[in-house]
Amino acid sequence: MRIGTFKGNGLYAAMLGLGLIAAGQSATAQSANCDYVVTNQWGSGATAAIRITNTGSSAITGWNVDWQYTANRVTNLWNATLSGSNPYSASNLGWNGTIQPGDTVEFGMQLDANGGSIETPAVTGDVCEGASSSSSSSSSSSSSSESSSSSSSSSSSSSSSNPGAGGRFRVDESGNITQNGDVYPVQCSAWFGLEGQHEPSDAENNADGAPMELYVGNMWWADTGRTIQQTMDEITAQGINTIRLPIAPQTLDATDPQGIGDIRQGGVLKNHASVRQQNARQALEDFIVQADQNGINVIIDIHSCSNYVGWRAGRLDATPPYVDATRENYEFTREGYSCGPVGDPSVTVHAYNEQLWLDDLAEIAGLSAQLGVDNIMAIDIFNEPWDYTWAEWKRLSENAYQAISAVNDDVLIMVEGIGSVTSDDTQIPHGSLDSNPNWGENFYPFANAPLDIPKERLILSPHTYGPSVFVQQQFMDPNQPECQGLEDTEAAEQDCNIVIRPAVLEAGWDEHFGYLRDQGYAMIIGEFGGHANWPADGPPRHREIWDHIQPGIDLEWQDALVDYMIDNDIQGCYWSTNPESEDTGGLYEHSYDPVSNESGWGTWEGFEQEKWNLLQRLWNN
């Protein structure tokens, strides 16, 4: 999918490595500082943490703390057991009950302001020396924990502290993904940025660049205190157990200049210093290790042939012109970059080809052993290969399987579908012409030419999107005959209505990929999602040309897809965790708005609850 950038080190991993002592043992009284810290806030709510630091000379074994608000209320809490309803009490879990001298344990929460301002209450308890509180502007404890986590993650294997440890992934006879023989329900979202973002050509720093940095919601111009650990805590509490992590070939190069340095000092990275990466390769490795420590499996996705070309590539050796070369009101067309040879000396070539790709796949497959982790579930071999015929993509996919399996026999191979037409106008069969597949959605040719990859190692991964990303012909109102066959801008110019007809959509999905789930293939929709209130919350060009459409039509499409996924036992990875995607937004709200608040870029707010409700319905079926 679209756009990319940003990353930070882990926050509290060092604490997770402490010895496990059963909760309920008596604590040493008057031996800790108990701090209440507001880590992020927005108009109607906030996130906060309580940090318990052992200031005594002996270990604390079991803890309980209390606090109370005037107006605020806790709506969600993680890494502790909550009791009471203002006043609140929280006690340790089994794994964080012991606090060694000088160490800190933290648990977090999400708050509703409940009509008041965000409060910082006193924290009391039998371990607390004195009540204290602070706000996110005081970041010394956060920075200290960040540093501790970084050293911990780089020096030891995390599998011993991972409750979901075990790294042999397979597909059973019913098409279920298994981990060490047990069925593993994939509850997944994407977290993008390491595949590269795009800087404007007139940017003051790194003009026309493509920095590789995970979005983490904490920018140098707006220190929110947010960390990767906080986000992992929050999303796992909601049910996420898998992250699809897009990268580019350049992400694997620790010396690539688009992955290094503060943008204000000649580098390219924009995250706050407390969460800034050393380089893109280190960021990738740190994320995998930290995810392992949090019981999160990962899918590594080669998202493009170049961090500069981005999601539009379609093939390993993509060349301009690209599909968005004439896209209105869009400045990141990237016509000056190529992955294949071109005759224009003004075009920068980041050469990529099949052999380089196979080498990268083998290198990714080796990360499990290199990092001492067992949470790399699958390798998504290439994103949205719409510019290949099925015969071409079948051969490449089978070669990818061989390259990966030669290095790591435990991971699964994730293969996406193709498109409906290549860049040279070759038409690809996709069933009925009444429904057009998205990039990566088309597995129709598979029926006559199956992949020669063992079923027990294969995940089929179509991508599909609603009108928030692209208005397809199957969304046209049948009561407007003048709109039949139109799509996107042409349909908007004719004031065409958008109508979500589940029967029409399901017929297309059946032909494009659903029939293979019926045959027992494992299936994860690798990307789906969109703006909940599109077009009102979409990019300005969409707000303008689709202003005759009632907001919420894309959420209606998402609801229809989730119904289909439930009915057909198909899992998926929501795009995306972070909210910086222009076409879709994310699972978090974004302070940024391209019309009313450009200065809010990169600052995350609370959950976008409508999307979480959709996922809970999918997972709890």
Side-chain angles (χ1 to χ4, degrees):
M1 241 304 284
R2 333 299 190 225
I3 307 186
T5 274
F6 310 137
K7 142 78 183 109
N9 293 324
L11 182 49
Y12 303 108
M15 293 180 285
L16 304 185
L18 300 175
L20 301 180
I21 304 293
Q25 298 183 26
S26 61
T28 302
Q30 304 298 310
S31 57
N33 284 335
C34 300
D35 298 318
Y36 184 101
V37 181
V38 177
T39 54
N40 191 19
Q41 58 183 296
W42 53 96
S44 60
T47 54
I50 291 178
R51 296 170 180 161
I52 307 169
T53 302
N54 186 347
T55 58
S57 58
S58 59
I60 294 173
T61 54
W63 48 264
N64 186 87
V65 296
D66 309 287
W67 70 102
Q68 185 172 4
Y69 305 100
T70 300
N72 296 178
R73 295 294 183 267
V74 175
T75 60
N76 188 26
L77 184 138
W78 49 91
N79 290 345
T81 298
L82 180 68
S83 60
S85 181
N86 202 45
Y88 296 97
S89 294
S91 57
N92 60 277
L93 302 176
W95 56 265
N96 63 359
T98 298
I99 313 176
Q100 299 292 345
D103 283 342
T104 299
V105 161
E106 164 176 311
F107 63 91
M109 69 200 78
Q110 186 166 350
L111 307 170
D112 182 354
N114 198 32
S117 58
I118 299 303
E119 303 169 40
T120 52
V123 182
T124 60
D126 58 358
V127 300
C128 301
E129 292 178 329
S132 61
S133 61
S134 63
S135 70
S136 59
S137 61
S138 176
S139 59
S140 58
S141 60
S142 173
S143 298
S144 173
S145 297
E146 193 80 60
S147 176
S148 174
S149 169
S150 178
S151 61
S152 172
S153 65
S154 63
S155 61
S156 65
S157 168
S158 61
S159 61
S160 61
S161 63
N162 177 2
R168 185 171 177 83
F169 296 94
R170 285 294 186 268
V171 176
D172 68 17
E173 292 182 355
S174 299
N176 299 309
I177 293 168
T178 65
Q179 183 174 7
N180 293 334
D182 297 324
V183 173
Y184 177 74
V186 177
Q187 300 178 179
C188 176
S189 67
W191 193 336
F192 67 89
L194 284 179
E195 81 285 7
Q197 72 161 118
H198 299 320
E199 295 284 10
S201 57
D202 60 352
E204 181 178 354
N205 299 295
N206 194 28
D208 206 33
M212 298 170 289
E213 182 180 26
L214 275 181
Y215 289 97
V216 297
N218 189 6
M219 315 299 298
W220 65 260
W221 61 83
D223 179 11
T224 65
R226 175 170 285 277
T227 63
I228 284 182
Q229 184 58 51
Q230 177 186 342
T231 302
M232 286 186 176
D233 288 340
E234 292 170 357
I235 64 176
T236 54
Q238 295 295 313
I240 294 288
N241 62 14
T242 308
I243 291 291
R244 179 172 178 257
L245 190 64
I247 66 170
Q250 289 79 3
T251 313
L252 299 171
D253 180 3
T255 68
D256 193 287
Q258 288 297 307
I260 302 173
D262 187 333
I263 196 169
R264 297 166 295 171
Q265 300 175 4
V268 301
L269 306 178
K270 297 179 179 179
N271 277 335
H272 188 267
S274 64
V275 288
R276 188 175 302 132
Q277 65 200 48
Q278 297 177 28
N279 57 70
R281 173 61 181 253
Q282 189 63 50
L284 171 65
E285 295 181 2
D286 287 350
F287 188 93
I288 294 169
V289 170
Q290 192 171 356
D292 195 47
Q293 293 169 334
N294 282 270
I296 299 172
N297 289 327
V298 294
I299 299 167
I300 308 299
D301 154 48
I302 297 186
H303 207 69
S304 180
C305 57
S306 166
N307 59 319
Y308 279 81
V309 174
W311 56 269
R312 61 186 55 74
R315 59 184 299 123
L316 302 175
D317 56 352
T319 58
Y322 299 116
V323 293
D324 50 7
T326 59
R327 186 173 171 183
E328 294 183 8
N329 301 316
Y330 188 70
E331 58 182 317
F332 305 118
T333 55
R334 312 311 275 179
E335 293 300 291
Y337 299 91
S338 178
C339 296
V342 292
D344 185 349
S346 68
V347 175
T348 300
V349 176
H350 295 158
Y352 207 56
N353 54 43
E354 181 178 353
Q355 188 56 56
L356 292 173
W357 173 63
L358 294 175
D359 291 345
D360 285 345
L361 291 173
E363 185 171 354
I364 295 167
L367 287 175
S368 296
Q370 176 192 331
L371 301 177
V373 299
D374 50 20
N375 67 328
I376 299 179
M377 184 185 88
I379 300 175
D380 190 343
I381 59 175
F382 197 68
N383 185 67
E384 297 178 355
W386 62 270
D387 205 11
Y388 287 114
T389 66
W390 180 252
E392 293 170 330
W393 182 232
K394 171 177 156 63
R395 182 189 68 80
L396 289 168
S397 299
E398 292 164 356
N399 289 348
Y401 163 71
Q402 296 294 336
I404 291 168
S405 292
V407 177
N408 187 341
D409 191 45
D410 289 335
V411 300
L412 299 175
I413 286 75
M414 183 177 283
V415 178
E416 299 180 27
I418 54 176
S420 59
V421 60
T422 64
S423 59
D424 64 1
D425 291 328
T426 299
Q427 300 297 310
I428 308 297
H430 56 86
S432 171
L433 298 180
D434 293 336
S435 184
N436 189 57
N438 287 266
W439 288 353
E441 183 178 324
N442 186 14
F443 283 96
Y444 183 83
F446 187 110
N448 294 321
L451 291 169
D452 187 14
I453 298 173
K455 235 178 180 179
E456 66 169 7
R457 298 290 306 284
L458 176 64
I459 301 172
L460 301 181
S461 186
H463 289 190
T464 189
Y465 283 106
S468 174
V469 172
F470 191 83
V471 177
Q472 297 270 19
Q473 63 181 21
Q474 55 262 32
F475 303 152
M476 293 296 95
D477 188 341
N479 294 319
Q480 291 181 295
E482 70 276 16
C483 294
Q484 298 312 296
L486 298 183
E487 58 184 15
D488 200 46
T489 304
E490 289 183 343
E493 291 173 347
Q494 295 298 317
D495 286 337
C496 295
N497 295 325
I498 296 174
V499 178
I500 303 304
R501 295 175 288 165
V504 172
L505 299 176
E506 290 170 7
W509 292 328
D510 281 342
E511 283 193 310
H512 300 157
F513 56 84
Y515 76 98
L516 291 168
R517 184 70 184 103
D518 293 339
Q519 296 178 21
Y521 285 92
M523 188 165 291
I524 297 175
I525 294 182
E527 290 184 16
F528 71 103
H531 287 293
N533 291 306
W534 186 90
D537 56 358
R541 64 181 183 278
H542 287 178
R543 300 184 196 190
E544 179 180 351
I545 66 175
W546 292 108
D547 62 355
H548 59 284
I549 299 298
Q550 185 72 21
I553 194 71
D554 195 87
L555 193 64
E556 185 179 342
W557 178 91
Q558 294 180 53
D559 207 50
L561 176 64
V562 166
D563 284 341
Y564 182 82
M565 294 169 73
I566 291 171
D567 290 344
N568 292 274
D569 192 23
I570 296 173
Q571 298 168 311
C573 290
Y574 197 87
W575 188 278
S576 58
T577 306
N578 47 297
E580 286 86 357
S581 171
E582 180 187 56
D583 290 342
T584 67
L587 292 174
Y588 284 84
E589 297 279 3
H590 199 190
S591 177
Y592 167 81
D593 183 90
V595 175
S596 62
N597 186 22
E598 290 187 349
S599 64
W601 178 258
T603 300
W604 300 6
E605 296 186 335
F607 288 146
E608 190 158 348
Q609 196 58 51
E610 290 171 307
K611 296 181 178 181
W612 284 105
N613 292 344
L614 200 75
L615 293 179
Q616 294 296 337
R617 186 164 70 83
L618 174 63
W619 299 335
N620 294 332
N621 176 59

